[in-house]
Amino acid sequence: MDEELKCPVCGSLFKDPILLPCSHNVCLACARNIIVQTPEGETPPHNRASNSDYDYLDMDKMSMYSETDSGYGSYTPCLKSPNGVRVFPPTLVHRHCSITCPLCHRSVSLDERGLRGFPRNRLLEAIVSRYQQSRSANVKCQLCDRNPVDATVMCEQCDVFYCTPCQQRCHPSRGPLAKHRLVPPTQSPVAGGQQMPTATLRKQGTCADHDTVNFSMYCINCKTPVCMKCLEGGKHGSHDVKPLAAMWKQHKCQLSQALNGVSDKAKDAKEFLVQLKNMLQQIQENGVEFEACLVAQCDALIEALTRQKAKLLTKVTKEREYKLKVVRDQITHCTMKLRQTTGMMEYCLEVIKENDPSGFLQISDALIKRVTSSQDQWVKGALEPKVGPEFDLTLNTDPLLQTIIQLDFVQSKVESATVPSAPLLQLEKCCTRNNSATLAWRVSVSPSNPIEGYVLELDDGNGGQYREVYVGKETVCTVDGLHFNSSYNARVKAYNSTGVGPYSKNVVLKTSDVAWFTFDPASAHRDIVLTNENQTVSCNSYDDRVVLGTAAFSKGVHYWELMVDRYDNHPDPAFGVARINTMKDMMLGKDDKAWAMYVDNNRSWFMHNNSHTNRAEGGISKGATVGILLDLNKHTITFFINKQQHGPVAFENLEGVFMPAISINRNVQVTLLTGMEVPKNFKQQ
């Protein structure tokens, strides 16, 4: 209850509180400090209090307004109270002044009575007095370590009781604590040096307009107590009034009924707080237990992996020892045979040096047989290693690594919850276009177990392992960048908070046999000009500029052609393939990311990494066609100029993903022709 009994301006217990029209309270002395002056003769035009809100105000003398709607009533800081509310120097003249509530920031103009126009909240005074009396009974110092003694002072800002030694030691009256207000433990009003009894504080209230007359009636319209004189000739004469005692009992009954509901909520809140505090301890204990369990499980996995590691290392050691033994034996055997052969060769050379024909012929037949026999010992394969340096052991850790990455906690399953059923692929909506595949599916959804998403998987187009290509909530998905002339198996599964459902039936989708594509404006050099739906290309620069195709190849055999629409001044256009990050401002093939043939009007050259090879006769002119045959199975590229074959040429590092590419300058214009089969006159060399 402390906060209810403290002034929002000074932060201390209320002293002589007055009741503002907004139903908030401030000390009388604090109210004098927060009065501000408004321009003479002006009344705030906006947000005046309506009769329904503040009927008890005399609107000719007072007006309510918001300080955000006008410049009036804004704070001009001068001092600062302990609880952060701005306070102001006392104002002696109340005419054309207003006061702003420090809590709701509503402003009210003062009439000629000034602050006397606001009623004293005598009920709040009485409650504060009783509260102080209850706290002053045997109040002990709150900072004494042992055997606390009676407190002698209390700091209203710190809300702490001190004995004299503790106050001098812990709360000295200097520095930042000098502005704190130290008061005796009891702050009850006194009369003649004696504490006033509680009943004395509850004297009957008198009218603010008629000081000598007590309140006897209650104005329903203005919602304020009034006296008989106010009814006889005052502004309340025509208002609806009732006896003060009857309204007092009625409002007490209403407040008691409202408190019953709040009391039930407060009781529930206390029980809830106890539940939360118990839950804190349970969470702490369960967390420690769960961490220990998790560490034990992970340690068991690590131990199992360590044991398996030792087994695999043993196999590697055996394989290594076997290879070493085979090679050492082969070295020993070969060394011995080589020594024998070398000795025999040296002996034969010495025999040849002799000049005795009869002596030579006596042993020549035997030597010839020995040499022939020795030569037969070096049969095919004798000088080849029996084992290779590579280890014929392959450890596939991808599945295990993927399992470790996906290792996660399994959510607790509700007994009635189930995983989704297998989706049904809608074959009428599944199709392929070029090297893209579109799949659509549907699944029956249970309201109690909504589906959170789907997982679409495709194999590698060659009957290999499946891989995830899409995870999300959509039921239609298009997969780009597939291999041409390949058949892909596709399947889909659904998952929810309970788990992952079964796979759908497989569907086989075959990509296009030949590639259909255009030039790619997104990757082209800024000097490149594309027309004819991105199938015709020209250039604004005299320097060579590169443009790529929209298709990407990584396996298979592909063929396309380019028709020369314009050819002036014998330029050297280049045709071929490139990686996506090839240089776009130089001739194709000058860097290590492009493989091309550049050609003039008489001859052509193959070029890669600025290396020129395979010069051939035959050039191009207007109307000529240049064909490119890319064989990624054999890592070769072949060119055709007017159906005349040049190549194939095998290039180093011709592996990975490649895009059709050309480089031209402003003297050349070509048109792309795609969707073509391999020429029938193609010859493998």
Side-chain angles (χ1 to χ4, degrees):
M1 190 174 66
D2 288 12
E3 297 302 322
E4 296 286 337
L5 304 181
K6 288 184 178 180
C7 174
V9 177
C10 64
S12 303
L13 294 176
F14 282 108
K15 184 176 182 181
D16 299 331
I18 61 173
L19 184 63
L20 299 179
C22 58
S23 300
H24 293 132
N25 299 274
V26 293
C27 298
L28 180 60
C30 297
R32 295 191 184 99
N33 290 335
I34 61 176
I35 292 176
V36 294
Q37 191 167 6
T38 58
E40 184 175 359
E42 293 188 15
T43 302
H46 303 295
N47 283 353
R48 294 179 180 271
S50 64
N51 291 334
S52 60
D53 292 335
Y54 298 103
D55 289 338
Y56 56 90
L57 291 179
D58 185 352
M59 300 309 293
D60 294 332
K61 299 179 180 179
M62 295 184 179
S63 64
M64 295 291 298
Y65 60 92
S66 169
E67 66 173 344
T68 59
D69 291 337
S70 68
Y72 308 129
S74 61
Y75 289 132
T76 305
C78 177
L79 304 173
K80 197 172 184 183
S81 67
N83 66 342
V85 177
R86 302 178 188 275
V87 299
F88 306 88
T91 303
L92 299 179
V93 180
H94 293 149
R95 188 178 180 183
H96 305 301
C97 293
S98 65
I99 184 171
T100 302
C101 175
L103 294 179
C104 65
H105 304 294
R106 289 183 177 271
S107 298
V108 60
S109 298
L110 303 182
D111 60 9
E112 64 276 2
R113 295 176 300 172
L115 295 177
R116 291 185 297 105
F118 299 113
R120 286 270 300 271
N121 194 336
R122 294 173 295 101
L123 191 66
L124 180 58
E125 282 187 79
I127 295 174
V128 171
S129 178
R130 290 200 307 270
Y131 178 74
Q132 290 176 328
Q133 292 177 17
S134 65
R135 294 185 62 183
S136 63
N138 298 324
V139 176
K140 300 295 183 180
C141 176
Q142 293 178 293
L143 296 183
C144 291
D145 296 333
R146 298 179 181 177
N147 301 323
V149 299
D150 291 342
T152 57
V153 294
M154 183 195 75
C155 176
E156 290 190 337
Q157 283 70 41
C158 302
D159 198 16
V160 176
F161 291 95
Y162 301 93
C163 64
T164 300
C166 290
Q167 183 265 323
Q168 294 175 353
R169 183 177 67 255
C170 302
H171 199 290
S173 299
R174 60 180 182 273
L177 301 177
K179 296 182 180 180
H180 286 205
R181 184 181 177 188
L182 300 177
V183 297
T186 176
Q187 286 291 307
S188 300
V190 293
Q194 300 295 327
Q195 181 173 316
M196 296 179 63
T198 304
T200 306
L201 297 173
R202 298 179 183 175
K203 66 180 180 179
Q204 191 171 3
T206 57
C207 180
D209 296 328
H210 310 93
D211 295 338
T212 60
V213 183
N214 294 333
F215 290 124
S216 59
M217 304 297 288
Y218 183 81
C219 179
I220 302 298
N221 298 51
C222 300
K223 298 182 180 179
T224 183
V226 296
C227 67
M228 294 303 298
K229 288 187 176 182
C230 294
L231 299 179
E232 292 173 357
K235 59 184 178 181
H236 303 283
S238 60
H239 291 180
D240 185 14
V241 296
K242 289 188 178 181
L244 186 66
M247 292 302 299
W248 177 43
K249 292 181 180 179
Q250 179 182 342
H251 280 210
K252 271 196 172 183
C253 181
Q254 292 177 356
L255 181 60
S256 298
Q257 291 176 354
L259 283 176
N260 287 336
V262 176
S263 177
D264 293 339
K265 296 298 181 182
K267 182 179 178 181
D268 295 341
K270 289 181 179 179
E271 294 176 353
F272 182 63
L273 284 174
V274 173
Q275 179 183 353
L276 290 179
K277 291 178 181 179
N278 293 335
M279 189 179 295
L280 284 175
Q281 183 65 24
Q282 294 176 0
I283 291 175
Q284 184 69 20
E285 295 174 356
N286 291 344
V288 173
E289 181 181 353
F290 197 84
E291 286 178 358
C293 180
L294 176 63
V295 170
Q297 289 178 312
C298 291
D299 289 344
L301 292 176
I302 294 172
E303 184 179 355
L305 186 60
T306 302
R307 290 196 300 268
Q308 192 64 22
K309 172 186 172 182
K311 292 180 180 179
L312 295 176
L313 287 175
T314 301
K315 291 183 178 181
V316 173
T317 302
K318 290 181 179 179
E319 180 72 10
R320 181 187 63 203
E321 295 300 328
Y322 167 75
K323 287 179 176 292
L324 290 174
K325 183 178 183 303
V326 171
V327 173
R328 289 189 182 113
D329 291 344
Q330 196 170 8
I331 290 173
T332 302
H333 182 69
C334 185
T335 302
M336 182 182 64
K337 290 179 61 176
L338 180 60
R339 186 185 302 114
Q340 293 175 353
T341 302
T342 304
M344 182 187 65
M345 289 172 58
E346 293 176 352
Y347 176 70
C348 291
L349 290 175
E350 292 297 328
V351 170
I352 292 174
K353 292 179 183 179
E354 293 295 328
N355 295 324
D356 184 1
S358 59
F360 178 82
L361 293 174
Q362 286 180 346
I363 62 174
S364 60
D365 289 337
L367 286 177
I368 291 173
K369 291 181 179 180
R370 285 184 61 190
V371 171
T372 303
S373 176
S374 177
Q375 184 178 357
D376 294 339
Q377 291 180 358
W378 300 100
V379 295
K380 184 178 181 181
L383 297 179
E384 295 179 359
K386 295 182 178 179
V387 294
E390 297 82 9
F391 281 70
D392 300 329
L393 301 173
T394 302
L395 181 62
N396 185 11
T397 61
D398 291 342
L400 178 59
L401 184 60
Q402 188 67 22
T403 302
I404 293 175
I405 293 174
Q406 295 176 351
L407 185 64
D408 201 350
F409 299 107
V410 179
Q411 297 293 333
S412 301
K413 298 181 180 179
V414 183
E415 292 183 0
S416 59
T418 57
V419 298
S421 57
L424 178 63
L425 286 166
Q426 298 178 279
L427 300 181
E428 67 277 7
K429 297 182 180 181
C430 296
C431 60
T432 60
R433 182 179 182 275
N434 217 16
N435 62 334
S436 299
T438 299
L439 297 102
W441 59 88
R442 58 182 174 86
V443 65
S444 58
V445 181
S446 172
S448 59
N449 296 307
I451 292 177
E452 295 183 0
Y454 303 92
V455 179
L456 176 63
E457 297 181 357
L458 266 67
D459 65 3
D460 60 357
N462 197 28
Q465 291 184 347
Y466 283 88
R467 56 188 176 91
E468 293 181 0
V469 295
Y470 171 75
V471 178
K473 296 182 178 181
E474 301 296 330
T475 57
V476 178
C477 179
T478 297
V479 184
D480 299 319
L482 302 176
H483 297 305
F484 288 94
N485 194 23
S486 300
S487 296
Y488 286 88
N489 291 286
R491 63 186 184 184
V492 66
K493 60 184 177 181
Y495 63 88
N496 58 14
S497 58
T498 304
V500 181
Y503 285 105
S504 65
K505 293 183 179 180
N506 285 9
V507 61
V508 180
L509 299 171
K510 189 177 185 305
T511 56
S512 175
D513 293 338
V514 294
W516 299 84
F517 58 92
T518 63
F519 290 116
D520 182 15
S523 62
H525 191 277
R526 61 179 178 272
D527 293 333
I528 290 292
V529 178
L530 297 177
T531 56
N532 188 25
E533 297 181 347
N534 296 333
Q535 292 180 328
T536 299
V537 58
S538 57
C539 182
N540 291 329
S541 173
Y542 283 107
D543 297 322
D544 291 303
R545 299 294 186 243
V546 172
V547 59
L548 305 178
T550 56
F553 306 120
S554 58
K555 77 170 189 176
V557 181
H558 309 280
Y559 180 76
W560 63 96
E561 290 184 350
L562 296 118
M563 179 176 291
V564 181
D565 302 326
R566 179 168 51 82
Y567 186 80
D568 303 328
N569 302 323
H570 310 303
D572 300 328
F575 310 88
V577 295
R579 302 191 192 276
I580 192 171
N581 57 344
T582 188
M583 300 295 293
K584 308 294 193 309
D585 56 355
M586 62 175 63
M587 180 183 287
L588 190 69
K590 284 199 171 184
D591 62 6
D592 62 347
K593 297 178 177 61
W595 294 257
M597 175 190 72
Y598 72 94
V599 56
D600 60 15
N601 60 323
N602 291 320
R603 60 188 66 84
S604 63
W605 294 263
F606 290 101
M607 183 166 64
H608 168 65
N609 200 15
N610 207 24
S611 175
H612 310 254
T613 60
N614 297 73
R615 171 180 169 178
E617 297 298 323
I620 60 174
S621 60
K622 180 179 179 181
T625 59
V626 177
I628 298 98
L629 177 62
L630 177 65
D631 189 345
L632 290 172
N633 298 330
K634 297 182 178 180
H635 309 296
T636 62
I637 185 168
T638 307
F639 297 92
F640 297 84
I641 300 178
N642 295 326
K643 306 302 181 182
Q644 182 179 355
Q645 180 175 334
H646 295 251
V649 176
F651 285 98
E652 296 180 359
N653 302 322
L654 194 61
E655 295 181 352
V657 178
F658 303 92
M659 295 181 172
I662 68 168
S663 65
I664 60 173
N665 62 17
R666 67 181 305 160
N667 294 315
V668 183
Q669 176 179 304
V670 298
T671 297
L672 177 65
L673 305 173
T674 61
M676 308 186 72
E677 296 183 353
V678 177
K680 296 181 179 180
N681 61 342
F682 171 61
K683 299 178 181 179
Q684 293 281 2
Q685 296 179 2

